[in-house]
Amino acid sequence: MKTDLSCYDNSWYNPGGGTLKRILWYFTNVLFFINPLNPSSSIKVHLLRFFGAKIGKDVVIKPGGNIKYPWNLSIGDYSWIGEKVWIDNLVQVTIGTNVCISQGAMLLCGNHNYKKTTFDLVVKPIIIEDGAWVGAQSTVCQGVKMKTHSVLCVGSTVSKDLDAFGIYRGNPAVRISERIFE
């Protein structure tokens, strides 16, 4: 047996929002989020709320980011989303309060089942609890829960839950230390 993409079928998947809303969001995302010429965090927050995202107070969203479906996004108070962050939220992504998602990080809710010849789409939510930090150029894979104040170091990839206050590094990410505040 070999992969046969002609048999690929994700007709079961519904991202929500409706066709018109998805089209309007696509152009809004291109003009105001992916486009690095819009530095205004407050405009981005208002647009995300308009399209159904739940956004807390004083959230900072830097230029060049890409958000797949805002109606599948929740961000708590005082959280930061860095430059060129990609939130591929095919399903719900929940980001807590005081969370930092550093530049170039990717939150990926979808993947494919490489064991099936049809390469089926697999989607699972991502939860990033209060005080967690996703380092620059890191990847958080589908179904991951980063528990409170956990840290994913620069350039790391995580596909399993991270313990509270744990510091993780590598690909795959492994626990290297405990996060201790001074």
Side-chain angles (χ1 to χ4, degrees):
M1 305 279 302
K2 295 182 180 177
T3 300
D4 182 359
L5 295 178
S6 70
C7 295
Y8 179 76
D9 177 20
N10 71 341
S11 61
W12 61 268
Y13 173 70
N14 181 358
T19 303
L20 180 59
K21 190 173 187 179
R22 286 194 302 269
I23 291 168
L24 290 173
W25 172 250
Y26 174 82
F27 289 105
T28 302
N29 193 29
V30 168
L31 293 172
F32 293 97
F33 286 81
I34 297 171
N35 181 347
L37 298 178
N38 175 24
S40 173
S41 183
S42 63
I43 289 173
K44 292 176 197 163
V45 166
H46 289 298
L47 287 168
L48 285 170
R49 287 179 180 144
F50 178 79
F51 278 93
K54 294 175 178 72
I55 309 292
K57 63 183 175 184
D58 294 326
V59 168
V60 174
I61 302 174
K62 297 289 189 166
N66 186 2
I67 297 170
K68 187 73 151 197
Y69 300 124
W71 48 90
N72 289 335
L73 181 62
S74 175
I75 303 175
D77 300 339
Y78 310 109
S79 289
W80 301 345
I81 309 297
E83 291 90 355
K84 297 184 180 178
V85 167
W86 181 16
I87 302 177
D88 191 26
N89 54 336
L90 298 170
V91 292
Q92 185 66 34
V93 168
T94 303
I95 298 169
T97 298
N98 295 304
V99 170
C100 179
I101 312 290
S102 293
Q103 61 272 22
M106 294 189 297
L107 309 182
L108 307 175
C109 288
N111 203 345
H112 294 276
N113 186 342
Y114 59 85
K115 294 180 181 180
K116 293 198 172 203
T117 60
T118 53
F119 209 50
D120 295 353
L121 179 65
V122 179
V123 293
K124 295 179 185 171
I126 292 173
I127 299 171
I128 302 175
E129 293 183 349
D130 297 348
W133 178 17
V134 178
Q137 301 294 321
S138 292
T139 302
V140 179
C141 295
Q142 74 203 26
V144 167
K145 179 187 253 187
M146 289 182 62
K147 295 182 182 163
T148 185
H149 294 85
S150 59
V151 175
L152 183 62
C153 294
V154 171
S156 298
T157 300
V158 62
S159 59
K160 296 183 179 184
D161 293 354
L162 302 185
D163 295 332
F165 295 91
I167 300 174
Y168 293 78
R169 179 175 55 208
N171 183 4
V174 294
R175 188 180 175 122
I176 59 165
S177 186
E178 180 83 9
R179 186 175 186 185
I180 300 169
F181 291 98
E182 297 178 354

